Amino acid sequence: YVWRAAVAYLALAAIVPTSINSLRSHPNPTRDYATAMHLAADFQRGDSLAAKDGQSILLVHGARAPRTIVLFHGFTNSPHEFQQLAAALYAGGDNVFVPRLSMQGLTGGDADMLGEVRAEALRDIADQSVDIATGLGDTVVVLGFSLGGDLAAWAAQFRPEVDRAVIIAPALGLSHVTSPLQ
């Protein structure tokens, strides 16, 4: 009986669509370097509570580059996770933006604060990051690890400005299906 119930549950989960209306993109892409830099400065002001080495990273060459790369760090981490990779990409001629994700890398942060992370806040960060990247370079590449991989996948799906996405170990799952069944 349990087996049949599980199969019926999975079948129902497969045909009942998941609403993602709250996760739709709200794009406002920039087309020039000055506007992108202004938006990046606004974004970085939100890092005032970030721990040392927890702030967003912006490495730019003073003008639009042929390519801009956005690096999304993993859950419970910070932009520092990609500091060396960002520096190497920058040295290769790319403009690089590593945004700090919601409730991550905070001074005095704890596990309770991580419970306040919301999908809509992460969506906003991904949207803002792509908006900034469009003004920093001609081609936009997003790369994400773990939770950041989810953001890179979201950006690739919902933002046509993203030319390439690299998704590493995303925390993807099936909707309507409990964790033990996944």
Side-chain angles (χ1 to χ4, degrees):
Y1 175 74
V2 172
W3 205 149
R4 288 184 184 159
V7 169
Y9 179 77
L10 287 173
L12 183 62
I15 61 173
V16 175
T18 300
S19 175
I20 58 169
N21 289 333
S22 69
L23 299 178
R24 294 268 181 231
S25 178
H26 302 288
N28 188 18
T30 59
R31 294 295 172 212
D32 64 89
Y33 182 81
T35 303
M37 290 302 294
H38 178 74
L39 287 177
D42 286 346
F43 188 95
Q44 288 180 305
R45 277 193 272 286
D47 288 342
S48 62
L49 298 177
K52 184 178 188 287
D53 293 328
Q55 299 91 358
S56 300
I57 298 169
L58 178 66
L59 302 174
V60 293
H61 293 280
R64 283 178 69 90
R67 182 171 59 194
T68 297
I69 300 179
V70 178
L71 304 172
F72 294 115
H73 65 80
F75 191 60
T76 74
N77 217 315
S78 73
H80 184 71
E81 176 177 47
F82 284 126
Q83 185 174 6
Q84 290 180 340
L85 177 58
L89 293 167
Y90 174 75
D94 299 320
N95 283 336
V96 182
F97 183 48
V98 189
R100 184 182 61 80
L101 302 183
S102 177
M103 306 307 288
Q104 312 293 303
L106 298 177
T107 300
D110 60 24
D112 290 337
M113 294 176 75
L114 294 175
E116 296 178 28
V117 174
R118 297 291 175 258
E120 292 80 8
L122 296 170
R123 179 238 14 236
D124 291 345
I125 289 169
D127 251 344
Q128 292 167 1
S129 298
V130 173
D131 290 344
I132 291 166
T134 59
L136 297 178
D138 301 326
T139 299
V140 175
V141 176
V142 295
L143 178 146
F145 174 72
S146 184
L147 173 63
D150 293 332
L151 296 184
W154 179 91
Q157 180 176 357
F158 290 104
R159 294 300 301 264
E161 302 88 353
V162 172
D163 296 290
R164 179 167 294 149
V166 180
I167 303 163
I168 304 167
L172 299 175
L174 303 170
S175 65
H176 305 303
V177 178
T178 62
S179 293
L181 288 176
Q182 288 189 42

